[in-house]
Amino acid sequence: MSTSSPSAPASQVPPDNPLTTKEGWRHFVGHEPVPPRLLTTGERAALGPRERMREDERRREYHADLPMVNTPVIRKVTTTSRLLIQLNRNQISARRGVILSGASGTGKTTALTQLGRAHELAVRKRHPHDRNRLPVIYVTVPPAATPKMLAMEFARFFGLTFPTRANITDVVDAVCATAAHVHVDLVLVDEIHNLTLTTRSGAEASDQLKYFAERLPATFAYAGIDVESKGLFPAPEDGRSPDASSSSPLPPSHTPQLPIEKPGRPWWEPWSPRSGCTPTPQELSRG
């Protein structure tokens, strides 16, 4: 399997390669916007109308392409998740995962992708000469997902192709073998709310995702819209919402809490961190 260079310029990345492909993801991770030269007052005054319009467009494009601000919430997501990656590194099973849940527009995808970018940059710094290493997978759950559709999303990230008669076992085996070969240790799964457990295909797709989480030696991080209300979390015995420890429901501008999976509990049972605190390894290891 060939991989693109992490420092490949945008001109070498086809426009139809989104983050859900290794080429699109590597371009996202390695891309650094270059600021345009600041013109002096005299230089700008000497520009004609057309040149001034092009200069304004270049500056607007640069501002639209500025890197994401490292907010306290993004730092918390990154710190907590990278701690889990370290704790999960030598775990055979019962690896802990992270779920970002909240209303639409609260920054779940932004936090998820910034987590993946920060982790991959750290891995590249630690292994500067390993050009074939792909530490992060980014996939989205398609609407009305079936197990094979979900498996093909993983395969599409790696650029794997299969004959028409290939069954889901062939796809899963190829994905897992490739992930092991390129040392994947973080899997980002977006749009998790598209899993509908009330249908047979949705429940089977959920089981397929759980199988990936058990078979791949990686930490899984999920993001979805109001995951608690979709039935993906088990209802607590006292009837309260899973994140009842927070002081109030998430407002539209609030970034979602970080539920974390615990071993020996249902697969997606949430854990609500203390406000403003990062969990300690002792807290994360509690069953």
Side-chain angles (χ1 to χ4, degrees):
M1 181 189 69
S2 62
T3 58
S4 61
S5 171
S7 57
S11 59
Q12 296 181 11
V13 181
D16 59 343
N17 280 330
L19 290 183
T20 50
T21 64
K22 66 180 186 297
E23 294 84 6
W25 175 258
R26 283 204 148 176
H27 171 62
F28 165 74
V29 172
H31 177 62
E32 292 290 345
V34 179
R37 187 176 69 87
L38 183 62
L39 301 180
T40 65
T41 304
E43 289 174 330
R44 182 167 178 80
L47 295 177
R50 184 170 297 179
E51 289 79 9
R52 185 175 297 182
M53 184 186 308
R54 283 198 291 264
E55 177 66 18
D56 291 341
E57 287 179 355
R58 281 194 294 269
R59 302 192 72 80
R60 281 193 292 267
E61 287 176 0
Y62 168 70
H63 284 284
D65 199 26
L66 284 175
M68 188 60 56
V69 175
N70 192 15
T71 65
V73 173
I74 290 179
R75 285 198 299 270
K76 184 176 182 180
V77 170
T78 303
T79 301
T80 303
S81 302
R82 297 207 65 211
L83 174 60
L84 284 176
I85 294 172
Q86 293 178 347
L87 295 175
N88 288 336
R89 192 161 291 158
N90 296 319
Q91 294 292 325
I92 298 175
S93 62
R95 285 180 290 270
R96 303 159 184 83
V98 177
I99 298 179
L100 307 180
S101 177
S104 177
T106 52
K108 299 176 299 300
T109 297
T110 298
L112 195 70
T113 53
Q114 290 302 313
L115 160 64
R117 186 176 189 271
H119 178 66
E120 180 148 338
L121 288 175
V123 172
R124 289 182 186 179
K125 187 175 181 180
R126 196 163 60 245
H127 303 279
H129 304 297
D130 192 348
R131 312 294 287 184
N132 292 322
R133 184 177 289 264
L134 285 171
V136 179
I137 298 176
Y138 178 79
V139 298
T140 60
V141 178
T146 64
K148 189 169 184 179
M149 289 169 61
L150 191 60
M152 288 303 297
E153 286 295 311
F154 282 79
R156 186 163 72 102
F157 181 89
F158 290 123
L160 302 177
T161 57
F162 300 91
T164 306
R165 295 184 179 181
N167 56 40
I168 188 171
T169 302
D170 298 329
V171 177
V172 171
D173 287 345
V175 166
C176 293
T178 304
H181 179 70
V182 297
H183 306 288
V184 171
D185 56 6
L186 176 62
V187 179
L188 308 177
V189 184
D190 208 352
E191 307 292 331
I192 193 71
H193 56 269
N194 284 334
L195 288 178
T196 306
L197 302 186
T198 56
T199 65
R200 179 176 178 180
S201 61
E204 290 175 347
S206 175
D207 290 340
Q208 181 62 58
L209 188 56
K210 181 180 179 181
Y211 180 73
F212 273 128
E214 292 174 345
R215 184 165 173 181
L216 294 178
T219 298
F220 275 62
Y222 312 91
I225 298 174
D226 296 332
V227 179
E228 300 90 335
S229 64
K230 303 294 182 180
L232 298 177
F233 285 142
E237 296 178 358
D238 58 5
R240 296 178 299 169
S241 63
D243 60 341
S245 61
S246 59
S247 58
S248 62
L250 295 176
S253 61
H254 196 286
T255 305
Q257 294 287 332
L258 267 170
I260 298 180
E261 182 186 4
K262 296 181 182 179
R265 302 290 181 85
W267 179 33
W268 282 344
E269 182 177 354
W271 170 84
S272 296
R274 297 167 296 169
S275 177
C277 296
T278 300
T280 65
Q282 291 79 13
E283 290 174 321
L284 292 173
S285 62
R286 250 175 235 158

